[in-house]
Amino acid sequence: MNLKTTTRALAATLLLACAQGAAGADIIPLPSSMSQSESSFTFPARTTYKLPQFEGDSVAMVFNTLSGAIAKGAGSELVAGKEKADIELAVNPAMGPEAYALKVSPGGIVIEAARPAGFFYALQSLRQMLPVNPASPATIQAVEIEDSPRFGWRGFMLDEGRHIFGKDEVKKVLDMMAMYKLNRFHWHLTEDQGWRIEIKKYPKLTEVGATRGSKSLGWQAYEPDTVTYSGYYTQDDIREIVAYAKDRFIEVVPEIDIPGHTQAAVAAYPEILACDPENEHEVWLYQGVSRDVMNVANPAAVQMAKDIIDELIPLFPYSYIHLGGDECPTTKWEQNDACKALLAEIGSDNYRDLQLDFYRKLAKHIADKPQADHRKLIFWNEVLHGNTAMLPQDMTIMAWVGADKAALEAAQRGLTTILTPQIPYYINRKQNPSPTEPLSQGRGTETLEAVYNYVPMKDVPAELADKYMGVQANFWSEYVITPEFLEYLMMPRLAAVAEAGWTPQEKRDYSDFHKRIRTHEPIYQSLDWNYGRHAFAKEASDCCQKPQECDK
Ligand code: ACM
């Protein structure tokens, strides 16, 4: 489809819809196929719905998760109908697992999907078509959508090691992800500055490792403050979050970043983990890359990592565990006799291989478990600097630094990969160069437009395409202490990454996205989501008042 024509056609139908008072379909991520028409559907005061019988009550559960939002936007009460209903959900087994069809016509709304996830995404699209808080039953434009995602992995990573935001905020983040059809929550739970997950066999990980002597982290000219800062998730909390995410078709992927970024763990168990247990170790008060890494040549440290994995597996009942692997200085290994001896034993002169040998032992530990407990491993792309042949070849490389090149190298080695380029997908970085922007990383070049315009898989040879699992936005929290600031930086850039993950590249266009995102501001406001105001400089209603704006 020609984009310019589509944009003009969309603008024309939008004008028509505005004239009729019908809400248009400013859906994000843009559906893979959508046509709008001049007619519309008005919700009756009591809207009937009909749900298919499907694997117990799984479709009913999906409907229940979103029915409150839909009833509110429709300005109508939703009641179960018997024969012909205003909203009908029907199973179409021929569709893909996340695909859906959504047809709005003057006679009602019909949704088809093969799986509960498809119904969920159809209802999220419908919800985005509805006004916020209409005074009377809403009218929406007629539309026919057939939709399915470009990538299977559409992720968001939250670092709660540096700062922890708490269960309610994590649920809010999951709601934001769900609205934009993201399906992997990568939970970065351990850092030099804090260990945030209860491990029953090693209670000091949280008794000691979850507390530090500063709230703000020191960095360059900034000294750490002296405010005690503390927090972690119990295993019950984790189960609650995993269940909340599951209801929104989001798999939670835990990251235990080892053997680097482990100063908090080393401070908790120096006798097991430290390369130099004779020295003092504390949970780190600074930003950056600590040299206080685990001693991978100590069998007790390897055993501890295995024990931690044993507690992770039942908490996260999905295919993947992320073991980190980024920014692991080898300085202390190079000064440690046991590490030197182990390097000689494995026949390498590359200290990075000590890290890969450590992972090899952990992978073997997992492989020796019953099938149901098997997990595939994800690593940051620095792992490519070692001999990856010693690791299971079903691992995945998460490409962040020099991401395109690293992902290509992973694919050429036969490994799967996920694109999470530091620039521009680290959406904790400043989103605007204005001097009034709050302090965070970067110079403000990761604008909404820059994030949107990243092209995943640019120039990737066709024969390697199936190695690319998808895309992910990352959020590092060195500077980010409050939930408000987290949301401010996340939104709406999360929506830009979500569109890259879902919409075919040839249909992506920033000016069209920008027009659609502007209409999402009332949704954010109604849900009490904070957001960067940069993208919303013009009122959404300008579109109807000044129609020429629509065609820009
Ligand atoms: C990373 O940004 N250190 C993965």
Side-chain angles (χ1 to χ4, degrees), residues 230-395:
S230 196
Y232 69 93
Y233 295 101
T234 65
Q235 295 199 355
D236 280 345
D237 292 335
I238 302 269
R239 278 187 277 272
E240 186 180 326
I241 294 289
V242 169
Y244 190 89
K246 181 168 185 269
D247 285 350
R248 285 150 186 79
F249 299 91
I250 297 169
E251 293 185 9
V252 183
V253 180
E255 181 187 349
I256 301 298
D257 199 350
I258 47 177
H261 284 281
T262 47
Q263 187 170 323
V266 172
Y269 288 96
E271 68 283 11
I272 301 177
L273 299 179
C275 296
D276 51 349
E278 65 284 4
N279 291 330
E280 286 286 304
H281 299 267
E282 67 167 7
V283 181
W284 214 24
L285 310 182
Y286 292 85
Q287 299 191 26
V289 177
S290 165
R291 291 184 183 169
D292 215 354
V293 304
M294 288 171 67
N295 181 355
V296 287
N298 182 356
V302 177
Q303 185 58 48
M304 181 167 167
K306 291 178 184 172
D307 293 338
I308 291 169
I309 289 172
D310 289 351
E311 294 199 30
L312 292 184
I313 285 173
L315 288 173
F316 299 95
Y318 298 112
S319 311
Y320 291 96
I321 289 180
H322 198 310
L323 291 182
D326 57 323
E327 301 174 321
C328 181
T330 56
T331 336
K332 290 208 176 190
W333 296 345
E334 290 165 36
Q335 295 156 0
N336 182 284
D337 287 343
C339 290
K340 287 186 212 166
L342 181 59
L343 192 65
E345 189 186 317
I346 64 174
S348 172
D349 56 7
N350 175 5
Y351 275 90
R352 187 64 53 220
D353 283 339
L354 283 188
Q355 183 177 348
L356 274 74
D357 177 66
F358 171 66
Y359 295 145
R360 181 186 62 75
K361 290 170 180 147
L362 302 182
K364 167 141 186 3
H365 175 70
I366 296 171
D368 287 346
K369 291 179 175 297
Q371 185 69 30
D373 289 343
H374 282 188
R375 296 292 183 271
K376 291 193 255 189
L377 297 176
I378 306 179
F379 299 104
W380 297 110
N381 63 260
E382 287 94 321
V383 166
L384 294 174
H385 300 157
N387 175 11
T388 50
M390 65 170 119
L391 294 178
Q393 297 302 294
D394 63 357
M395 69 176 170

Side-chain angles (χ1 to χ4, degrees), residues 124 127 170-180 244 248 250 529:
Q124 288 288 11
R127 171 194 181 184
V170 170
K171 288 181 183 174
K172 211 167 166 189
V173 164
L174 291 166
D175 287 341
M176 293 169 175
M177 291 178 62
M179 187 166 93
Y180 291 126
Y244 190 89
R248 285 150 186 79
I250 297 169
W529 292 352

Side-chain angles (χ1 to χ4, degrees), residues 157 162 186 188 191 255 257 261 289 322 324-327 380-382 398-401 420 422 426 441 474 476 478:
M157 186 219 77
R162 275 59 177 251
H186 167 176
H188 185 85
E191 258 307 333
E255 181 187 349
D257 199 350
H261 284 281
V289 177
H322 198 310
D326 57 323
E327 301 174 321
W380 297 110
N381 63 260
E382 287 94 321
M398 196 165 259
W400 72 280
V401 57
T420 177
Q422 179 182 32
Y426 278 21
Q441 287 166 358
N474 288 346
W476 302 97
E478 282 95 335

Side-chain angles (χ1 to χ4, degrees), residues 163-165 169 215 229 475 477 479-488 530:
H163 290 102
I164 177 164
F165 302 99
E169 186 60 20
K215 185 171 184 179
Y229 185 80
F475 195 104
S477 61
Y479 286 105
V480 182
I481 299 178
T482 65
E484 292 73 26
F485 192 24
L486 163 66
E487 294 171 24
Y488 175 84
N530 197 16

